[in-house]
């Protein structure tokens, strides 16, 4: 199995959710683990080690799109905003839009900033993927996971 890919859910929403509840009703197979990463801690590490890159990730808007065409369900959601969202009055981080799967073509980044933006994104990605920042959990029936602005991924369930 390949490396898990960290994402923040609902990046394509104009206002991504900050609290999610996960639960498992029934499972008798393998898989189904969830990886949680403290994106706020990772962003803080970028701020400490590369403040210019942190600032770039808070200033440059990026377009995220989510397209779903399953049966009669057709959704196309678009969200635009920087990867790291901070309050303008105190520079406090309040939202992370990190999802390489729904990030659209990067055409909102000024041409002269494209290389610097990718370098900053790579720095954040490196922080998010540090094993010491990972918390793996597997939901079992009767257990609930409350996720508040963590970056997460799921390993698919396999039935038996």
């Amino acid at each position: 199995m390949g490396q898990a890919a960290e994402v923040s859910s609902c990046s394509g929403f104009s206002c991504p959710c900050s609290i999610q509840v996960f639960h498992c009703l029934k499972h008798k197979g393998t898989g189904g683990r969830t990886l949680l990463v403290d994106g706020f801690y990772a962003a803080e590490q970028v701020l400490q080690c590369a403040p210019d890159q942190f600032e770039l990730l808070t200033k440059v808007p990026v377009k995220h799109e989510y397209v779903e065409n399953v049966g009669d369900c057709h959704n196309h959601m678009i969200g635009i905003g920087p990867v790291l969202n901070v309050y303008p009055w105190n520079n406090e981080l309040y939202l992370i839009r990190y999802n390489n799967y729904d990030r659209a073509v990067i055409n909102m980044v000024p041409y002269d900033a494209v290389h610097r933006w990718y370098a900053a994104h790579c720095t954040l990605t490196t922080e998010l993927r540090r094993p010491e920042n990972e918390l793996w959990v597997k939901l079992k029936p009767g257990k609930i996971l409350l996720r508040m602005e963590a970056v997460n991924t799921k390993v698919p369930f396999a039935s038996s």
Side-chain angles (χ1 to χ4, degrees):
M1 183 180 335
Q3 179 177 355
E6 298 79 3
V7 299
S8 57
S9 300
C10 308
S11 296
F13 289 13
S14 58
C15 184
C17 52
S18 59
I19 298 175
Q20 291 180 306
V21 178
F22 297 92
H23 64 95
C24 175
L25 297 175
K26 177 181 171 185
H27 181 246
K28 292 188 180 189
T30 60
R33 294 188 317 146
T34 296
L35 168 62
L36 300 173
V37 177
D38 187 345
F40 283 79
Y41 178 77
E44 178 66 27
Q45 297 309 302
V46 174
L47 177 61
Q48 298 302 316
C49 299
D52 55 327
Q53 291 184 342
F54 179 90
E55 182 177 6
L56 191 63
L57 291 172
T58 67
K59 302 283 186 220
V60 176
V62 178
K63 185 176 179 182
H64 288 85
E65 290 188 75
Y66 177 76
V67 178
E68 177 181 44
N69 290 310
V70 179
D72 290 336
C73 185
H74 305 285
N75 291 305
H76 185 187
M77 294 172 270
I78 297 173
I80 298 173
V83 172
L84 304 177
N85 294 253
V86 297
Y87 293 119
W89 55 86
N90 64 3
N91 213 34
E92 181 182 328
L93 183 65
Y94 70 90
L95 177 73
I96 300 172
R97 288 179 188 267
Y98 183 92
N99 190 331
N100 290 330
Y101 295 107
D102 69 7
R103 189 177 66 221
V105 174
I106 301 203
N107 58 6
M108 300 181 75
V109 177
Y111 179 76
D112 64 331
V114 171
H115 182 74
R116 290 183 297 121
W117 186 90
Y118 274 107
H121 188 269
C122 184
T123 300
L124 177 61
T125 300
T126 298
E127 288 301 326
L128 289 169
R129 292 188 175 166
R130 291 192 189 283
E132 61 268 25
N133 295 335
E134 297 180 350
L135 173 63
W136 285 95
V137 296
K138 179 172 176 164
L139 288 176
K140 297 180 178 162
K143 298 291 182 186
I144 293 177
L145 172 65
L146 177 65
R147 184 191 77 83
M148 299 177 66
E149 276 303 330
V151 177
N152 68 289
T153 191
K154 294 159 221 58
V155 176
F157 284 102
S159 58
S160 58

